[in-house]
Amino acid sequence: MKRFLALMLALLAFTAALPCAAPAETILWEDENGQVIRGDDGSIGFAPAASPEPVQEPTPTPSPEVTATPRPAPGGTLQYGDSSEDVLAAQEQLTALGYYHGTCSGRFLEGTQSAVRRFQQLNNLPQTGKLDAATWIVLFSEAAIARDGSTPLATPSPVPEATPFSFARTLQYGDSGDDVAALQARLSELGFYEAKVSGGFYKVTRSAVKAFQTHNGLLADGVAGRQTQELLFSEAALPASAEPLPSPTPEPTKYTLMVDVSNQITRAYTYDESGEYTVLVREMICSTGTRSNPTPLGTTIMPSKRARWGYFPTWDSHAQYLTRIDSANAFHSVLYSAPDESTLSVKSFDALGTPASHGCVRLLVSDAKWIYDNCKAGTIITVYEGEYDPEYTMTLKPTLNSGTLRENPLPEPTPTPTYARENFPTSYRTLSRGKTGEDVFMVQCRLAELGYYTGTITGGYYGGTIAAVEAFQRNHGLSVDGAAGQQTQALLFSEALDPTPAAPPEATPTPEATPTPAPTGEPELTPPIPQNVG
């Protein structure tokens, strides 16, 4: 009866002293320049702020025997600087419960204060670091929770009869309730969980679920779905002390992403019948890092973190649909001044197709969303330098609707003009960067015919065409400005520059042919190498 009364007094004091729940601290992750990105979706989640590591007093002493003898509370609150027999008794009880590791001197100093705060934290009391009446009663009661999560002073409860397992729901990060507590208890029983059974599914629980899954040959995703729970609560579950089962062979991810920093194009491939990533699924214009803040070349594996909206504090800007590339960079949309689609940065949109980021890969909103929705953790990402072909890059760039601030659909491709020198228009216009049309197409064809242009013939006048015109002008004594004016075009299409047909070679006697033996079997075929994969 005395134990029961002590327990009831402790619980009443604990209930009266319960604080309001503190708001969770938003998890932030790094952006392209070592700053942080604020995620607001469940995949990043929330976690309580960590308490600072306390300063411990040196010279540990042997732990005294734990007792549940009620001790009258002191007349007032004990706090830093106090010295008394009550402080000594509290130090001994905190030592027995695993919170205090210093000398039991009867003096209330930093180590005692830290131990009291840790005790209050684990026993759901206000974390004041002071020994008030409520803390004192719980400390010397059967309800006191030790540092290891146990209640060594409590009377053991009768063991309930086991009930058959029944799957109710998938349990994952952020969930809470009795089913989470049951999950933790079973994981603890099998040796995978060593914390307090709290009923909250957070980092420690997720790590324990992953450890159980790995040990029992399941896909280790940290989510307790039906398959994981049914095995966990069955007699077939292997404890941590048993020999682990082999891990399953993971299913290959559906896509691989190739980022061409030379041409500012991100390409998505899926696998063919042989399991090789050769089937081009999507091409996306982008902006990668500048010369001073380049996007790192090489191959990485996509992490799991992603966010619907991200924030870049250094530049006070936002972006949509962030999907991690590595610890510092991500795929994301063009920039916004606020997490609102009406605040799109036109400058950021106009820069697509050129290096403009601090290491991330900026994309059209539709393309960033496609990656966010379709490319899961484990996707292989390769960043490489392709063969320079800016005209092709610009075929992937739509115009921006100034009213809605959304990209317009790309126009349907027009029929390819028939190239012939005599078909070139007789009315000239000066062709320069950004011009498009049939006359640009003809100029590109003629430059390619003469060996100056090696890019894709698109009818768009950009870096590759400008470089070819400059080379042509330089070789023919013209003013080198990269623009195809009337003088440049007239010379370019003149008959004087037509390639001279080569003379036919003299006939030579043909030796008598030796019969070629028939092959003994079909030759081995070499699969084609996909272009621009790098």
Side-chain angles (χ1 to χ4, degrees):
M1 178 60 72
K2 288 183 179 180
R3 285 187 172 184
F4 175 78
L5 290 176
L7 177 60
M8 291 302 294
L9 284 172
L11 290 176
L12 287 172
F14 158 71
T15 304
L18 273 178
C20 296
E25 178 182 350
T26 305
I27 298 296
L28 305 175
W29 50 279
E30 294 180 352
D31 70 0
E32 58 214 28
N33 200 36
Q35 296 298 317
V36 291
I37 296 174
R38 181 181 296 116
D40 64 358
D41 66 348
S43 60
I44 291 181
F46 299 93
S51 300
E53 188 67 25
V55 178
Q56 297 181 353
E57 294 181 1
T59 318
T61 56
S63 300
E65 183 181 354
V66 182
T67 63
T69 305
R71 183 182 179 92
T77 297
L78 299 177
Q79 56 187 329
Y80 185 89
D82 289 343
S83 179
S84 67
E85 290 295 323
D86 288 326
V87 173
L88 176 62
Q91 288 174 330
E92 291 174 346
Q93 190 75 342
L94 288 166
T95 299
L97 293 172
Y99 292 97
Y100 183 65
H101 304 285
T103 301
C104 295
S105 62
R107 293 191 302 162
F108 200 122
L109 300 176
E110 286 87 351
T112 306
Q113 186 180 53
S114 297
V116 170
R117 186 176 287 112
R118 286 196 298 270
F119 174 80
Q120 290 169 330
Q121 180 185 25
L122 206 58
N123 284 267
N124 295 314
L125 295 167
Q127 297 175 44
T128 62
K130 301 177 183 180
L131 274 168
D132 52 23
T135 302
W136 184 275
I137 292 172
V138 176
L139 178 63
F140 287 93
S141 75
E142 292 183 347
I145 298 173
R147 183 67 185 270
D148 63 3
S150 66
T151 51
L153 311 181
T155 302
S157 301
V159 178
E161 295 183 7
T163 56
F165 169 74
S166 176
F167 177 79
R169 60 169 177 151
T170 295
L171 300 176
Q172 55 191 329
Y173 189 94
D175 288 343
S176 61
D178 292 342
D179 45 4
V180 175
L183 181 83
Q184 292 169 329
R186 178 60 173 161
L187 287 167
S188 176
E189 181 183 346
L190 294 174
F192 296 99
Y193 183 77
E194 298 179 354
K196 176 185 176 183
V197 176
S198 64
F201 197 123
Y202 297 105
K203 289 183 179 179
V204 177
T205 306
R206 181 170 60 188
S207 296
V209 170
K210 283 185 177 181
F212 170 78
Q213 291 169 328
T214 301
H215 201 77
N216 283 265
L218 301 176
L219 180 64
D221 58 3
V223 176
R226 177 183 291 273
Q227 183 183 16
T228 296
Q229 290 187 48
E230 286 181 347
L231 178 58
L232 177 67
F233 288 98
S234 73
E235 294 182 359
L238 293 178
S241 58
E243 188 73 21
L245 293 176
S247 300
T249 303
E251 181 184 354
T253 56
K254 188 173 183 180
Y255 302 103
T256 187
L257 296 171
M258 311 289 296
V259 182
D260 180 354
V261 297
S262 298
N263 294 297
Q264 301 296 297
I265 297 174
T266 297
R267 295 181 172 92
Y269 293 85
T270 192
Y271 40 77
D272 56 24
E273 294 178 354
S274 302
E276 301 293 329
Y277 289 99
T278 61
V279 181
L280 180 63
V281 176
R282 194 178 183 96
E283 292 185 299
M284 299 165 272
I285 192 169
C286 63
S287 283
T288 61
T290 60
R291 186 184 298 272
S292 57
N293 294 286
T295 303
L297 301 179
T299 299
T300 58
I301 305 239
M302 181 179 286
S304 60
K305 284 190 177 179
R306 55 194 63 210
R308 175 64 180 81
W309 278 97
Y311 177 57
F312 306 91
T314 302
W315 305 281
D316 191 26
S317 57
H318 303 255
Q320 296 195 69
Y321 301 111
L322 289 92
T323 308
R324 270 272 182 92
I325 296 174
D326 53 32
S327 61
N329 303 298
F331 294 105
H332 62 74
S333 76
V334 290
L335 302 180
Y336 295 79
S337 60
D340 181 339
E341 292 191 349
S342 66
T343 65
L344 180 140
S345 166
V346 176
K347 180 180 178 181
S348 174
F349 181 92
D350 290 342
L352 286 171
T354 63
S357 79
H358 293 82
C360 284
V361 179
R362 297 180 191 167
L363 301 151
L364 294 168
V365 174
S366 57
D367 290 334
K369 185 178 187 301
W370 187 89
I371 291 177
Y372 181 90
D373 289 340
N374 293 282
C375 298
K376 63 181 182 179
T379 297
I380 297 173
I381 305 164
T382 302
V383 182
Y384 71 104
E385 295 177 337
E387 186 176 349
Y388 188 57
D389 189 6
E391 276 69 20
Y392 186 74
T393 300
M394 299 312 293
T395 64
L396 304 175
K397 185 172 184 177
T399 57
L400 183 67
N401 186 312
S402 58
T404 63
L405 291 182
R406 297 176 184 270
E407 62 249 26
N408 293 316
L410 286 169
E412 292 294 327
T414 56
T416 303
T418 302
Y419 168 70
R421 185 173 53 78
E422 59 272 15
N423 290 344
F424 190 78
T426 55
S427 59
Y428 292 93
R429 63 169 176 155
T430 298
L431 303 178
S432 57
R433 180 182 293 274
K435 297 290 178 64
T436 60
E438 185 175 338
D439 48 358
V440 177
F441 181 89
M442 297 294 181
V443 166
Q444 289 174 328
C445 289
R446 181 64 167 167
L447 288 167
E449 185 177 56
L450 297 176
Y452 289 96
Y453 182 70
T454 58
T456 304
I457 296 173
T458 63
Y461 202 108
Y462 297 101
T465 307
I466 292 171
V469 170
E470 287 177 344
F472 174 80
Q473 291 170 330
R474 190 177 298 110
N475 288 348
H476 292 85
L478 301 175
S479 177
V480 179
D481 59 5
Q486 184 169 350
Q487 185 181 13
T488 297
Q489 293 182 45
L491 179 58
L492 182 64
F493 285 93
S494 67
E495 294 182 2
L497 296 183
D498 286 346
T500 304
E506 294 184 6
T508 55
T510 303
E512 185 176 348
T514 303
T516 303
T520 57
E522 293 185 4
E524 183 177 344
L525 299 178
T526 302
I529 300 175
Q531 297 299 312
N532 295 320
V533 172

